Amino acid sequence: MQIKQAWMTVALVATLAGAGRAFATDDLTKHPGYVDFDNIVKLFGKQETNVEVFLEPAMLQFIGKMASGDPEMAALCAKLLQIRVQSFQMDSDKVDAVEKTVADAAQKLEGQGWGPLIKVRDRKGGSQTYVYMKLVNGKSQGMTVMNIDPHDEATFVNIVGEIDPEQIGRLSRTIHIDQLDSLRMNMHGKNYDRSDDKSDDKADDKKPVKK
Amino acid sequence: MRRADTPLSCGRVKVLVEAYLDESLAGPRRARVDAHLVGCEACRAEVAQALQVRTALRALPWRACSDVVLETVRTRLAAADAPASGGNRKPAAVRAAAAQEWTRRLQEWLVPRSSVWKPAVGLAAAAVLVVGVYAFVHRPTEIQVTPQDMQRAEGQVRWVMARIGQISQHAGNKVRTDVLEKRVADPAARAVSGVLEDNIRQ
């Protein structure tokens, strides 16, 4: 009977340990480089996003391995776990609330150990730009960008993973933003049918492409 | 009321008559049949009739079985117990006993006798259920990446990097414009205005 009890105890402990492990893995929201924009995003209600990018670890790793034509891009993506971008058209009614919420979020980020790279408040134009980097033991864990242009749009970016600002600088210099605006962005990040893609007719559009 | 106290029905007694007459009924059940028979004349008659048939059958003379029948039965039994490929197979009775023993052991394992183990088994079952549901929901999905998907994702990464670069550059320009206006252009304008005003006064 004692052997039976011992076996059952082992089975129970193993099962509970397995359950704990299952819950512990694959949860990027616990990553130090992850930022939750829910409080900000819900201010826009059901408003349609101008741009929404959501790239998952699997896809980023895939680009990291397969983007052999661009070593810089491959090196960047190989160390990233997630990229999220949400961009909304600013509504004049919401400017004050959004600015206040974003300022609060910036303060909260600083409280959580995020270091500001850029903090600019344009008193004339009313725009705000925050760029933060999270470092843990001297190693970057993520980057967050919050940009509000009251006359145009609000953009929120969170990059989870090891990222070097210099890499961003080098990559961003290789392509002009206006050329990239011609890309029809995938609103859900994957399985997007490009059959109705009309990139050429957006080539002169200065803003990110709308849905 | 306990089950042992409930009176038996006539139908139930009829089912139990053979076992009652063989004296293979356990004490409490036999007592319940006895109790029923005390108050039920029909069942008493049934038992008496069954006893009469049994006695009459036992009184019949014994006849010896013919050697042919005996030999046939023995041959069939031997064939039934013989191994399929000629190995040393245990007799059917031994195999049946072994199977019964394994069944008993398995039941001992599966049926928790102690109340302490019941919640533990319940907890383990719940944990298995939770893990199963979680594993089903978060099962690894096979990503089928087409060259178009790849190209689009790469374009999105470039777009994001370029957008961050654009935002940073724009913020930098703003700082420069603000700083220049406040610290250089405005003081210079004020200084020039002051000089001009002084010249006009003179």
Side-chain angles (χ1 to χ4, degrees):
Chain A
M1 196 64 182
Q2 280 180 347
I3 295 171
K4 178 183 167 184
Q5 285 177 355
W7 273 110
M8 289 195 75
T9 308
V10 168
L12 186 64
V13 169
T15 308
L16 292 175
R21 188 175 165 74
F23 279 107
T25 54
D26 295 338
D27 189 3
L28 272 182
T29 59
K30 301 283 187 293
H31 193 281
Y34 181 86
V35 173
D36 187 357
F37 290 130
D38 278 0
N39 278 344
I40 301 168
V41 168
K42 71 183 177 190
L43 290 173
F44 295 94
K46 292 179 180 176
Q47 186 184 328
E48 203 173 72
T49 50
N50 277 358
V51 177
E52 187 167 331
V53 174
F54 183 76
L55 290 170
E56 293 171 293
M59 182 55 97
L60 289 166
Q61 296 301 311
F62 201 76
I63 298 172
K65 285 175 187 165
M66 303 297 286
S68 53
D70 188 345
E72 184 86 56
M73 167 69 80
L76 176 86
C77 291
K79 293 177 182 175
L80 298 184
L81 298 172
Q82 194 180 74
I83 295 178
R84 281 180 296 132
V85 180
Q86 283 169 295
S87 186
F88 300 90
Q89 192 64 41
M90 281 300 285
D91 188 346
S92 56
D93 300 343
K94 292 174 183 166
V95 171
D96 290 341
V98 173
E99 281 182 350
K100 187 181 180 309
T101 310
V102 169
D104 290 346
Q107 206 172 359
K108 195 177 166 189
L109 285 177
E110 286 177 30
Q112 290 170 346
W114 286 77
L117 295 180
I118 296 171
K119 273 171 78 174
V120 174
R121 284 189 180 202
D122 178 13
R123 285 173 190 158
K124 271 187 191 171
S127 67
Q128 292 183 15
T129 304
Y130 301 89
V131 180
Y132 283 94
M133 176 76 83
K134 182 70 174 268
L135 294 174
V136 176
N137 297 326
K139 200 171 160 186
S140 68
Q141 298 291 314
M143 179 183 251
T144 297
V145 178
M146 298 186 288
N147 185 66
I148 307 168
D149 184 342
H151 308 296
D152 190 3
E153 61 181 14
T155 304
F156 307 97
V157 182
N158 180 215
I159 299 173
V160 183
E162 198 179 330
I163 187 159
D164 180 3
E166 284 185 15
Q167 273 182 318
I168 297 178
R170 284 196 294 272
L171 271 171
S172 66
R173 276 194 293 274
T174 58
I175 293 176
H176 195 268
I177 189 76
D178 292 346
Q179 294 168 334
L180 281 166
D181 283 345
S182 66
L183 287 171
R184 189 173 290 272
M185 303 299 291
N186 173 10
M187 293 299 146
H188 299 289
K190 58 183 179 181
N191 299 332
Y192 171 64
D193 182 8
R194 285 171 67 98
S195 58
D196 62 345
D197 197 350
K198 294 169 186 166
S199 305
D200 294 337
D201 62 5
K202 288 277 182 181
D204 297 323
D205 195 355
K206 298 278 181 190
K207 289 180 189 174
V209 179
K210 293 181 183 182
K211 196 173 179 181
Chain B
M1 183 183 279
R2 290 185 307 142
R3 198 180 163 192
D5 297 335
T6 54
L8 290 175
S9 65
C10 292
R12 187 69 189 142
V13 169
K14 277 178 188 171
V15 172
L16 295 172
V17 163
E18 288 302 321
Y20 179 79
L21 293 176
D22 286 343
E23 302 203 345
S24 58
L25 272 186
R29 194 178 273 186
R30 186 173 187 82
R32 288 170 74 197
V33 174
D34 282 335
H36 181 87
L37 292 176
V38 169
C40 181
E41 196 177 337
C43 286
R44 270 204 309 276
E46 187 89 19
V47 170
Q49 194 178 7
L51 190 61
Q52 199 177 356
V53 169
R54 176 175 291 217
T55 310
L57 284 173
R58 283 184 179 167
L60 288 172
W62 284 88
R63 282 182 179 270
C65 188
S66 72
D67 290 343
V68 177
V69 172
L70 273 177
E71 192 55 35
T72 308
V73 170
R74 278 180 192 143
T75 308
R76 285 183 183 175
L77 282 172
D81 281 348
S85 56
N88 291 327
R89 190 164 178 181
K90 291 176 182 174
V94 176
R95 279 186 275 120
Q100 205 173 5
E101 175 62 15
W102 273 105
T103 310
R104 188 189 62 74
R105 284 186 186 180
L106 189 65
Q107 280 174 342
E108 194 176 284
W109 267 85
L110 292 176
V111 180
R113 291 181 181 173
S114 165
S115 60
V116 175
W117 283 100
K118 282 181 182 172
V121 171
L123 193 64
V128 168
L129 186 69
V130 168
V131 171
V133 170
Y134 183 87
F136 179 76
V137 172
H138 293 86
R139 65 190 182 282
T141 49
E142 280 185 21
I143 300 176
Q144 292 181 340
V145 183
T146 62
Q148 287 81 10
D149 290 335
M150 177 85 176
Q151 196 180 3
R152 187 174 56 255
E154 209 175 312
Q156 286 179 337
V157 175
R158 286 183 192 281
W159 187 91
V160 172
M161 299 306 154
R163 182 80 177 110
I164 293 172
Q166 187 197 40
I167 289 171
S168 306
Q169 196 183 6
H170 188 65
N173 284 341
K174 221 165 248 152
V175 171
R176 280 198 294 275
T177 310
D178 288 355
V179 169
L180 282 173
E181 276 181 13
K182 284 178 189 170
R183 295 186 185 171
V184 181
D186 288 353
R190 278 198 296 274
V192 170
S193 301
V195 171
L196 286 173
E197 282 172 10
D198 286 347
N199 286 339
I200 291 166
R201 280 189 205 122
Q202 285 172 6

